[in-house]
Amino acid sequence: MEKIKILLLVSSRFGLPSMRDMVQSQTLGVVGIPAHCEEIIQEVTMLLAPYGIPILVLHKGDFVPTLQTAIERHEINLGFVLYFSFKIPSIIYEHKNLKGFFNVHNGVLPEYRGADPVFQQIKLMEKFPGVTIHKLVDQMDAGDIVLQEKILANFNDTYGLLFDKLAELASKLTATIIKMIYLDLIIPSKPQNELNARYYKKQDASQVSINWQTMDNRTIVALVNACNPWNKGAVTRLNHKLVRILKASVYQDENLSTKNYKPGQILLFKEHEIVVSTLNYGLLMIELIYIDEGFFHASILSSLGFFIGHQFSEIY
Amino acid sequence: MKVGILSPSSATYPLIAFEFMDGLKTYLKNQGQLSGVEMVNDSVGYGGQEKEIYTKAEKLLMIDDIDVLLAFIDLKVLDILTPLIYASGKLMIVINPGANYPTNWVPAGNIIHLSLLDAFCCWMTAEYASRENEKSAIAASTFYDCGYLHSAAMSKCFWKNGGQIVYNYINNNRYDETFAITELANFISENKEVKNILCQFDAKPAHLLYSKLNELTDSEKLKLFVSPMMLQESVINSSVETAKFNISGHQVWSPNLSNDTNNLFHKVLQENGKKAPTIFTLLGWETAMILDQIMNIENISLNDGESIVNKLKSEKFNSPRGEMFLDTDTQFYISKPYYYEIMDGRINGRQEQEAYVLEQWQHFISEPTQGAITGWMNTYLCY
């Protein structure tokens, strides 16, 4: 059986568990990382130092010929993309030396196409987030599906936690594809059902902001988790102060009446947390916040001049 | 309906494929459905050769154009088949004794599992062990049995409920007159306070273990919490009168169950000139019951395995083991196992209550197995 040599393209930590397993199975040939991903370059360089596996630092203007040369020079015969900043042209993924070139997407396809499916799966409270491996085509995330596996969502998972779980799942799935190539099996695939396709753009400021008038407490908790840690929380405003909520949970207290409170109004200060009224007479317990002064328990707001009855509002 | 079958082989259970097919065909014949099911059969041996299994499954799906794939394989080789099954869209029924369980319980849409729930029975038996006043136990297994996750299920449940494994014993002897349990016997003798043994042994070594334990001077103190194969009728019948110690455990079926469906199971097999049923005949019979259900679904495309699965989720059926249903979260068929206790030469058995089984099932599937897992590739009992 022919030795497998993989070209791995990564821009984030998502590819690291797969890279670890490829090193262990001695199938990793070259790693390509965009030049602007300095932290990842540093981390991968440190991790691969003992193994002598080359790392290509890629620039948007000339990464295509660099990859072409690498495929030929290092006798690469299989390619994986795990979260990569540049669009890969067909001249690379259809290279004659390759037995396959696959994108590993940290979301369920075709329902979660786009740049950040982890954020969308948490924000939309997807019960079964997952990883999809598909063939590369010109259109982003639209290639035929080879393999997909889902996990049971934990409502309390932050972006960071789900990201890591999906990264481990991705490593399991890439191992299956590598084994199939090693056994000289043809990799079957199935076209995506375009009727179910949804594309999400990279989230902008409006998508990480709490709208107290339309979001209930569960939706707010989901958004808070989806913004932790990368955005330092979901964004809201208290008078003129910008507040990012990092940790919050649905709160229940039959003795606490929300009848005279509007969504976003503070009802209660506890030792560390505060309780806020939400849509449909719901309650939200805010535990951790980020403000210009630093990371704090939410109850810090009382010492900054905020009291029961003060109201959080939208940033726009 | 055209059905492709990847059937097993076993040196230890040489009739495994015959018994499975006997159960499958006899049920369909009795229902008048045999002519409606075309079968294409291929052997996958012990079930450990991934490429061979893949190639045979591919042929059944692509060349023979089957509607449903029945694969008597273990979960370790399922991973490599998943892209093929996903691409085909057709229904796959994975059949095995259930000694392994998935690392991720969220199922693929068009794959369902029929098993003897071996690991789950081990889990429940360990839950019983953890109720003992004495919270320490020995974990004892064969070199073969410890290569399946039923060993992990037993230990995990015992730990979770406050138990402590104080000695791990793995027997690597041949299953013949040279079989010995020297190290285990020494530990028991030197640690008088330890009475509980969590055991996973296949039927043949189970018989030898019972026999060797009987020879120990203080074997009366021992309580064995055992895996389902240690409760097989052939093993228990020869041990029940002589065993000086307590034996208890769970299994999903015994030939002696007195329910109407089990009586019919025996009767129909006998009328068709088949030998007395085994666990493998049971799996064949139940597979046929599922196929029968599929044939009775109205307006369904056999190319759409996921839709078939969704229909099956709302259907229950009465197997010789009792009522069975497809768990919607995991797509594993579940039944209520039977608890057996062998004490003072008597066997007492009863079926577990549904509430208890469902509660334990939730505990069982909520304990994901993390990290690297090692073990045998071949299907449990196929060796």
Side-chain angles (χ1 to χ4, degrees), chain A residues 1 127-128 145-152 169 172 176-177 179-180 183-190, chain B residues 50-51 54-55 58 62 76 79-80 82-89 103-104 106-108 306 329 377:
Chain A
M1 286 171 201
K127 196 179 170 196
F128 297 107
I145 294 176
V146 169
L147 195 50
Q148 182 170 84
E149 192 167 319
K150 300 172 185 175
I151 58 173
L152 184 62
L169 179 59
K172 177 189 162 194
T176 299
I177 302 296
K179 189 187 271 185
M180 290 180 77
L183 294 173
D184 214 15
L185 300 172
I186 294 167
I187 310 279
S189 61
K190 188 177 174 179
Chain B
E50 289 174 301
K51 184 169 183 174
Y54 185 95
T55 310
E58 188 180 46
M62 306 296 175
K76 282 208 158 198
D79 279 350
I80 206 159
T82 307
L84 179 66
I85 305 305
Y86 176 79
S88 79
T103 50
N104 174 14
V106 178
E306 197 161 342
D329 291 339
M377 292 296 287

Side-chain angles (χ1 to χ4, degrees), chain B residues 102-341:
Chain B
T103 50
N104 174 14
W105 284 96
V106 178
N110 55 339
I111 299 176
I112 58 176
H113 299 262
L114 172 68
S115 80
L116 301 169
L117 300 172
D118 186 289
F120 180 50
C121 285
C122 285
W123 174 278
M124 284 198 299
T125 299
E127 197 278 320
Y128 272 59
S130 68
R131 295 178 193 177
E132 294 286 313
N133 289 332
E134 174 59 54
K135 295 294 178 195
S136 57
I138 296 165
S141 185
T142 65
F143 187 62
Y144 177 68
D145 276 81
C146 74
Y148 295 89
L149 288 173
H150 60 177
S151 306
M154 223 173 204
S155 297
K156 220 179 207 180
C157 180
F158 192 61
W159 286 327
K160 190 182 157 84
N161 289 294
Q164 192 189 1
I165 307 284
V166 290
Y167 180 59
N168 270 300
Y169 173 72
I170 296 169
N171 187 293
N172 194 21
N173 291 173
R174 291 170 64 91
Y175 304 160
D176 57 21
E177 67 283 355
T178 62
F179 186 89
I181 56 167
T182 315
E183 298 86 355
L184 177 63
N186 288 343
F187 185 86
I188 291 169
S189 153
E190 290 161 10
N191 296 272
K192 305 277 186 208
E193 75 287 358
V194 182
K195 297 170 183 150
N196 304 323
I197 313 181
L198 310 178
C199 311
Q200 309 92 38
F201 280 59
D202 185 15
K204 201 168 180 183
H207 177 75
L208 295 166
L209 176 76
Y210 290 149
S211 162
K212 289 292 173 189
L213 285 174
N214 256 342
E215 293 171 9
L216 303 185
T217 50
D218 47 0
S219 63
E220 293 88 351
K221 71 165 189 179
L222 298 174
K223 290 185 174 178
L224 271 61
F225 297 88
V226 304
S227 61
M229 289 309 287
M230 300 180 76
L231 294 171
Q232 282 287 293
E233 194 190 25
S234 58
V235 187
I236 289 301
N237 283 350
S238 60
S239 306
V240 67
E241 285 178 10
T242 53
K244 295 177 188 165
F245 39 82
N246 285 6
I247 303 169
S248 61
H250 290 84
Q251 62 179 350
V252 292
W253 175 80
S254 152
N256 303 320
L257 293 178
S258 56
N259 65 58
D260 292 346
T261 325
N262 197 41
N263 295 340
L264 179 74
F265 182 37
H266 282 269
K267 182 170 166 272
V268 173
L269 284 164
Q270 195 179 20
E271 283 172 359
N272 283 276
K274 307 294 181 191
K275 62 188 205 59
T278 67
I279 47 176
F280 307 117
T281 331
L282 174 77
L283 286 171
W285 182 274
E286 289 174 339
T287 304
M289 294 184 96
I290 298 168
L291 294 179
D292 192 16
Q293 279 191 325
I294 295 168
M295 286 187 282
N296 286 315
I297 299 173
E298 289 177 2
N299 302 323
I300 196 91
S301 161
L302 289 172
N303 288 324
D304 187 356
E306 197 161 342
S307 294
I308 297 172
V309 171
N310 288 332
K311 291 279 184 187
L312 291 174
K313 282 177 180 172
S314 57
E315 305 276 340
K316 292 182 176 181
F317 66 88
N318 275 316
S319 147
R321 66 168 100 169
E323 189 178 76
M324 294 186 75
F325 69 93
L326 191 59
D327 178 41
T328 52
D329 291 339
T330 61
Q331 292 174 197
F332 273 66
Y333 274 99
I334 308 179
S335 64
K336 290 178 285 184
Y338 297 81
Y339 172 72
Y340 289 92
E341 189 170 35

Side-chain angles (χ1 to χ4, degrees), chain A residues 5-9 28-32 53-56 70 74 76:
Chain A
K5 287 193 87 177
I6 295 168
L7 166 64
L8 176 65
L9 300 177
L28 187 60
V30 184
V31 180
I53 295 166
I55 299 165
L56 307 174
H74 298 286
I76 298 297

